[in-house]
């Protein structure tokens, strides 16, 4: 997601009219991300990107704009809600959305499970009447109102001429997945003389057809304003004439407001860009043919005839191809030979050493992506401490005389900026030993290719490497630390300006070009750069580049610093370390490094508890029934000691489980079984065993290994590549034509074929044939899977409740496909 900006928000009723606004991203109503607060603005600019794996089903992706209030609860200005089935409409396009009002009806979510039974009853006097039994079984995914959910249901039978009294279930405390299982009886028709021909008198048939059963869900509130509406369901009884009993799941709906058209106030608008992908991934064996063709790419001569290179040729954006290719090759340990091959081919095509790796080619995008994946920890260790300081201290560093604020001194600002640049330059050039091995191996290959191609240029071996490590790695990370997970949010304007000036200077220092000052359009930057026009800076850069691109250099594990992997507030249950201590829940600051997992009262405090990584034997989800709390997981330690933790939302919970599993994956004593529920009141809730040291009753989930090579799902990346090849099939066919044309015709090339790089038409044609065959086979498998799923799926089931629009669309598509195939 890219959250751009909001505009034309309504003015604040107070004297200054401005607001302090932030935006949240929600799956239905569960908040998964929050932007920074933009103060004193009615057109706040956020400029924040958020990426997440979605760990559960959802109906709406919602964005709420809040106005911060120091004394009361923050107030909601409005929201944008996009239905899951509409996400494709806005895929990867900047779109302005009108903000909508937020009220109880706009917040309806969740589903209800009902069973209805219409039966005839013959009374003692021989007359017949019809009774309706309504069984409210359970609900799932109800909204949480003001931090709590104590739901109950009311059931009413209503018709044009009468309405029964509302019957009410018991209130279920502290759950948004209540199990009611209560039955209510209603008299549908008044007793009449028994008639063999029809179950109803004529007037009763009309009466029944017009009647409906209404189920309303409410949150039992102790506030003076009364209970809050959570959603309703209206079912006409006429569908019971086909079958006297009916049981199904239904999505709850908003209230019918009697066709009153609410005049939409202008609440302003929000600019968003949403990219949503959903892949169905088969088991590994399905992907073997396509995967084998891809993994051989590094060995194909020439490399332009390889499957990976062809993917780069047919994709609209090179980035599209680079992301899954890099992840796939990293997973199988083939990234260095692949990048060496495509880089070598690109160097051979480059005419001028000054433009080496400067374009947006497949090579540069693949190296960018590799550095982002393999170098994330390296950035954390190198830059995070000083970036944090710059964001917190707010020293003035503006050196443009035109932009100076009142009371600022140009010389002082220059000195502040010079100190920052000096410190960042020093930490970068001293960090060579921490540079990840995979990056060093790639840099060695780039350096060798460049030096061999341009033997007359002594500096090209440095510029080939610096164009990546400085220009595409350190400089962008300093400029936008939020995109490299160095800060949680986009920095404020003053800090952003400081980081821009530092980034420009570091970029120029790393580029090793001859006339540095000429690189700057702005005269004040050229003046500032004079500080750094000394030989010692160029020497430091060259020594650093030599170290990270020399062959045989390996990481020095013996001097490995603890790397901070993740931190944040969560709620934990006391582990019972004190004999008589209370096992209550407390909010704590958790911190995970590659050495230990700790928690403390707040950030920066002394740890209250430290768990060495080798003592983490399993990390698994905890069933909600244990403590009636969502998003809980457990960290299992030796002697069956368990730390129960609640994350803030489902995305956070998944992130923590994944990363804790990853760092502890290589522990020798890892468990193979665990208890999915807690040990409470003398027994395990899951298997009812009474001994607290009973071995687990459920197999542990397979986690992700600690090695980056394996921290990727290879099948999923192959599925992504298949989707891209399938999407660009017309281009693959066009490329086949181009190969045919080139091999029989030697004259000037046709314009439509000239966009492809084809060095060997015969080899390229062979690879294209294999790709098209592999894609065709997978396409048939997907079609068969969809047909089978369509046959098995029942509308009204828990997975596809009645009212599920995405399923209705799916049914329509399937019936069109089957009609078309007939």
């Amino acid at each position: 997601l890219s959250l751009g900006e909001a505009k034309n928000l309504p003015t604040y009723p107070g004297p200054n009219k401005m607001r302090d606004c932030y935006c949240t991203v929600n799956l239905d109503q569960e908040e998964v991300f929050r932007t920074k607060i933009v103060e004193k603005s009615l057109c706040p600019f956020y400029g924040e990107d958020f990426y997440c794996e979605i760990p559960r089903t959802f109906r709406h992706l919602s964005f709420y704009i809040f106005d911060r209030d120091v004394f009361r609860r923050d107030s909601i200005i409005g929201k944008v809600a996009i239905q899951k089935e509409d996400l494709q409409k806005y895929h990867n396009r900047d779109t302005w959305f009108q903000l909508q009002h937020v009220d109880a009806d706009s917040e309806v979510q969740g589903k209800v499970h009902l069973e209805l039974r219409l039966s005839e009853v013959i009374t003692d006097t021989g007359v017949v009447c019809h009774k309706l039994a309504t069984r409210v079984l359970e609900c799932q995914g109800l909204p949480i109102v003001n931090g709590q959910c104590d739901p109950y249901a009311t059931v009413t039978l209503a018709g044009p001429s009468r309405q029964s009294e509302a019957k009410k279930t018991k209130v279920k405390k502290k759950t948004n997945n209540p199990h009611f299982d209560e039955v209510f009886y209603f008299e549908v028709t008044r007793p009449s003389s028994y008639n063999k021909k029809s179950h109803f008198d004529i007037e009763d048939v009309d009466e029944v057809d017009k009647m409906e059963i209404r189920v309303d869900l409410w949150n039992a509130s102790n506030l003076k304003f009364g209970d809050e509406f959570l959603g309703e369901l209206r079912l006409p009884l006429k569908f019971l004439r086909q079958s006297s009993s009916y049981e199904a799941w239904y999505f709850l709906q908003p209230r019918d407001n009697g066709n009153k058209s609410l005049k939409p106030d202008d609440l302003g608008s929000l600019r968003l860009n949403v990219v949503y992908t959903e892949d169905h991934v088969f088991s590994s064996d399905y992907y073997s043919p396509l995967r084998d063709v891809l993994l051989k790419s590094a060995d194909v001569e020439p490399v332009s005839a390889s499957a990976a290179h062809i993917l780069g040729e047919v994709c609209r954006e090179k980035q599209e191809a680079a992301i899954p290719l890099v992840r796939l090759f990293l997973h199988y340990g083939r990234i260095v030979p692949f990048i060496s091959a495509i880089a070598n081919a690109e160097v051979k095509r480059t005419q001028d050493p000054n433009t080496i790796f400067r374009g947006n080619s497949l090579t540069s995008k693949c190296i960018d992506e590799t550095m982002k994946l393999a170098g994330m920890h390296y950035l954390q260790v190198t830059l995070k401490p000083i970036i944090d300081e710059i964001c917190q201290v707010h020293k003035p560093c503006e050196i443009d005389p035109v932009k100076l604020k009142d009371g600022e001194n140009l010389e002082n600002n220059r000195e502040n900026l010079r100190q920052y640049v000096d410190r960042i330059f020093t930490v970068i050039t001293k960090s060579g030993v921490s540079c990840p091995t995979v990056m060093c191996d790639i840099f060695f290959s780039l350096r060798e290719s460049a030096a061999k191609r341009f033997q007359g240029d002594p500096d090209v071996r440095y510029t080939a490497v610096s164009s990546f490590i400085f220009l595409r790695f350190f400089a962008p990370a300093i400029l936008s630390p939020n995109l490299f997970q160095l800060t949680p949010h986009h920095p404020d304007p003053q800090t952003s300006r400081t980081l821009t000036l530092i980034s420009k200077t570091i970029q120029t220092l790393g580029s090793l070009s001859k006339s540095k000052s000429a690189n700057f359009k702005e005269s004040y930057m050229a003046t500032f750069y004079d500080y750094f026009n000394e030989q010692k800076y160029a020497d430091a850069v060259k020594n650093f580049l030599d170290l990270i691109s020399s062959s045989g250099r390996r990481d020095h594990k013996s001097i490995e610093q603890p790397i901070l992997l993740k931190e944040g507030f969560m709620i934990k249950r006391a582990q019972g370390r004190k004999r008589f201590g209370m096992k209550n829940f407390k909010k704590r600051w958790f911190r995970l490094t590659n050495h230990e997992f700790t928690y403390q009262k707040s950030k920066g405090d002394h740890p209250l508890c430290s768990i060495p990584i080798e003592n983490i034997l399993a990390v698994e989800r905890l069933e909600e029934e244990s403590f009636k709390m969502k998003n809980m997981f457990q960290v299992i330690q030796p002697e069956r000691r368990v730390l129960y933790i609640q994350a803030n939302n489902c995305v956070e919970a998944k992130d923590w489980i994944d990363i804790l599993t990853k760092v502890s994956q290589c522990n020798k004593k890892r468990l193979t079984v665990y208890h999915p529920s807690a040990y409470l009141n003398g027994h395990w809730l899951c298997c009812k065993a009474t001994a607290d040291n009973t071995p687990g009753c459920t197999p542990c989930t397979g986690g992700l290994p600690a090695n980056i090579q394996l921290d990727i799902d290879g099948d999923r990346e192959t599925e992504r590549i298949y989707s891209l090849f399938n999407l660009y099939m017309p281009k693959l066919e066009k490329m086949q034509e181009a190969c045919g044309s080139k091999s029989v015709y030697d004259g000037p090339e046709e314009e439509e074929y000239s966009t492809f790089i084809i060095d060997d038409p015969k080899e390229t044609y062979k690879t294209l044939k294999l790709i098209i065959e592999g894609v065709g086979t997978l396409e048939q498998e997907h079609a068969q899977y969809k047909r089978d799923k369509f046959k098995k799926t029942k509308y009204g089931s828990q997975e596809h409740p009645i009212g599920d629009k995405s399923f209705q669309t799916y049914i329509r598509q399937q019936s069109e496909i089957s009609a078309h195939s007939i």
Side-chain angles (χ1 to χ4, degrees), residues 151-182:
Y152 67 89
T154 61
V155 186
T156 318
L157 179 68
S161 54
R162 63 192 176 112
Q163 180 161 333
S164 74
E165 188 185 336
K167 301 189 178 186
K168 181 178 163 184
T169 66
K170 291 191 178 79
V171 174
K172 298 290 177 182
K173 291 278 187 187
K174 292 186 179 170
T175 176
N176 63 343
N177 298 321
H179 285 262
F180 296 113
D181 204 359
E182 294 187 40

Side-chain angles (χ1 to χ4, degrees), residues 1 3 23-33 50 56 58-66 78-84 87 99 102 106-109 270 272 274:
L1 301 171
L3 290 121
C23 180
T24 67
V25 179
N26 298 51
L27 289 177
D28 296 322
Q29 280 149 32
E30 182 182 13
E31 183 183 317
V32 293
F33 178 71
F50 171 62
R56 62 173 179 82
F58 67 102
R59 283 171 74 187
H60 291 92
L61 179 67
S62 304
F63 303 83
Y64 292 80
I65 300 269
F66 284 87
K79 78 167 184 180
V80 170
I82 308 172
Q83 288 187 333
K84 182 185 171 182
L87 284 169
L99 289 174
V102 176
S106 72
E107 296 294 272
V108 169
Q109 67 173 56
L270 180 64
L272 301 168
V274 181

Side-chain angles (χ1 to χ4, degrees), residues 147 306 349 434 466 682 779 799 813:
S306 69
R349 286 195 294 272
S434 310
S466 73
E779 196 175 3
E799 292 75 36
Q813 286 169 349

Side-chain angles (χ1 to χ4, degrees), residues 13-275:
N16 72 358
K17 298 190 179 339
M18 290 294 153
R19 293 180 182 269
D20 301 341
C21 295
Y22 61 90
C23 180
T24 67
V25 179
N26 298 51
L27 289 177
D28 296 322
Q29 280 149 32
E30 182 182 13
E31 183 183 317
V32 293
F33 178 71
R34 179 179 291 207
T35 67
K36 62 179 180 196
I37 296 169
V38 176
E39 296 182 339
K40 299 188 181 72
S41 174
L42 297 177
C43 297
F45 176 80
Y46 297 109
E48 299 204 25
D49 291 351
F50 171 62
Y51 168 85
C52 80
E53 298 279 323
I54 298 181
R56 62 173 179 82
T57 56
F58 67 102
R59 283 171 74 187
H60 291 92
L61 179 67
S62 304
F63 303 83
Y64 292 80
I65 300 269
F66 284 87
D67 183 14
R68 179 183 60 179
D69 195 313
V70 181
F71 303 109
R72 296 191 300 271
R73 179 180 274 132
D74 297 348
S75 56
I76 299 179
I77 295 173
K79 78 167 184 180
V80 170
I82 308 172
Q83 288 187 333
K84 182 185 171 182
E85 47 274 19
D86 290 340
L87 284 169
Q88 282 305 322
K89 278 191 216 167
Y90 308 109
H91 184 81
N92 207 3
R93 302 208 308 262
D94 264 16
T95 311
W96 284 98
F97 293 90
Q98 280 296 120
L99 289 174
Q100 305 296 328
H101 270 286
V102 176
D103 54 31
D105 288 298
S106 72
E107 296 294 272
V108 169
Q109 67 173 56
K111 52 193 174 187
V112 59
H113 189 190
L114 290 184
E115 187 181 347
L116 302 176
R117 191 179 297 276
L118 190 62
S119 48
E120 289 181 344
V121 180
I122 304 177
T123 63
D124 297 342
T125 55
V127 289
V128 178
C129 68
H130 292 86
K131 289 208 166 173
L132 175 72
T134 304
R135 184 176 173 207
V136 184
L137 288 120
E138 60 179 309
C139 293
Q140 280 192 347
L142 297 177
I144 291 169
V145 183
N146 299 335
Q148 59 118 34
C149 190
D150 298 339
Y152 67 89
T154 61
V155 186
T156 318
L157 179 68
S161 54
R162 63 192 176 112
Q163 180 161 333
S164 74
E165 188 185 336
K167 301 189 178 186
K168 181 178 163 184
T169 66
K170 291 191 178 79
V171 174
K172 298 290 177 182
K173 291 278 187 187
K174 292 186 179 170
T175 176
N176 63 343
N177 298 321
H179 285 262
F180 296 113
D181 204 359
E182 294 187 40
V183 185
F184 303 101
Y185 294 95
F186 298 93
E187 199 170 275
V188 179
T189 57
R190 298 175 184 84
S192 60
S193 56
Y194 188 60
N195 177 344
K196 293 267 182 204
K197 288 180 209 161
S198 162
H199 293 334
F200 301 111
D201 286 344
I202 295 300
E203 70 237 347
D204 287 337
V205 174
D206 291 344
E207 179 83 353
V208 170
D209 275 2
K210 288 174 186 166
M211 291 183 105
E212 64 178 15
I213 194 89
R214 206 174 95 200
V215 181
D216 290 273
L217 266 292
W218 298 86
N219 179 37
S221 167
N222 50 15
L223 300 170
K224 58 183 179 202
F225 304 114
D227 297 347
E228 287 110 344
F229 172 75
L230 300 179
E232 73 165 20
L233 182 64
R234 290 170 179 242
L235 294 173
L237 289 196
K238 60 181 168 195
F239 72 85
L240 284 172
R241 287 173 62 193
Q242 277 85 37
S243 140
S244 60
S245 157
Y246 197 78
E247 182 237 334
W249 283 84
Y250 300 85
F251 272 137
L252 289 167
Q253 303 297 336
R255 274 177 295 216
D256 177 11
N257 63 7
N259 298 327
K260 284 185 289 199
S261 59
L262 289 168
K263 178 181 168 287
D265 294 344
D266 190 10
L267 299 174
S269 49
L270 180 64
R271 179 167 61 84
L272 301 168
N273 188 324
V274 181
V275 175

Side-chain angles (χ1 to χ4, degrees), residues 610-740:
S610 167
I611 304 169
I613 294 299
E614 55 271 20
N615 281 1
I616 297 177
L617 306 186
V619 183
E620 297 287 346
R621 291 190 179 280
L622 186 71
E623 297 284 343
E624 194 180 321
E625 62 166 0
S626 301
F627 301 108
K628 300 281 187 285
M629 292 164 76
K630 293 174 84 69
N631 304 318
M632 287 201 73
F633 63 94
Q634 47 184 324
V635 179
I636 306 167
Q637 302 156 64
E639 297 164 23
R640 301 275 166 199
R641 258 214 5 235
V642 185
L643 175 60
Y644 295 122
I645 302 172
Q646 183 188 32
N648 300 316
N649 56 57
C650 60
V651 171
E652 276 281 286
K654 183 182 186 300
D655 285 351
W656 275 106
I657 293 168
D658 283 354
I659 199 159
L660 279 161
T661 305
K662 197 191 305 177
V663 293
S664 61
Q665 188 69 34
C666 298
N667 290 350
K668 292 183 178 67
K669 294 180 183 171
R670 271 190 76 84
L671 297 179
T672 52
V673 287
Y674 78 106
H675 289 286
S677 293
Y679 182 80
L680 292 174
N681 307 325
H683 68 274
W684 292 100
L685 296 180
C686 40
C687 57
K688 305 295 182 264
T690 51
D692 65 349
N693 60 354
T694 308
C697 56
T698 306
C700 287
T701 50
L704 304 161
N707 188 340
I708 180 167
Q709 226 172 311
L710 301 166
D711 167 20
I712 285 161
D713 181 342
D715 300 331
R716 183 173 167 177
E717 301 309 327
T718 316
E719 170 63 32
R720 196 92 283 278
I721 291 169
Y722 150 75
S723 302
L724 289 169
F725 274 138
N726 202 18
L727 178 65
Y728 294 112
M729 186 54 78
K731 280 196 171 183
L732 287 172
E733 288 163 353
K734 186 80 69 198
M735 205 168 177
Q736 265 191 323
E737 287 173 24
C739 290

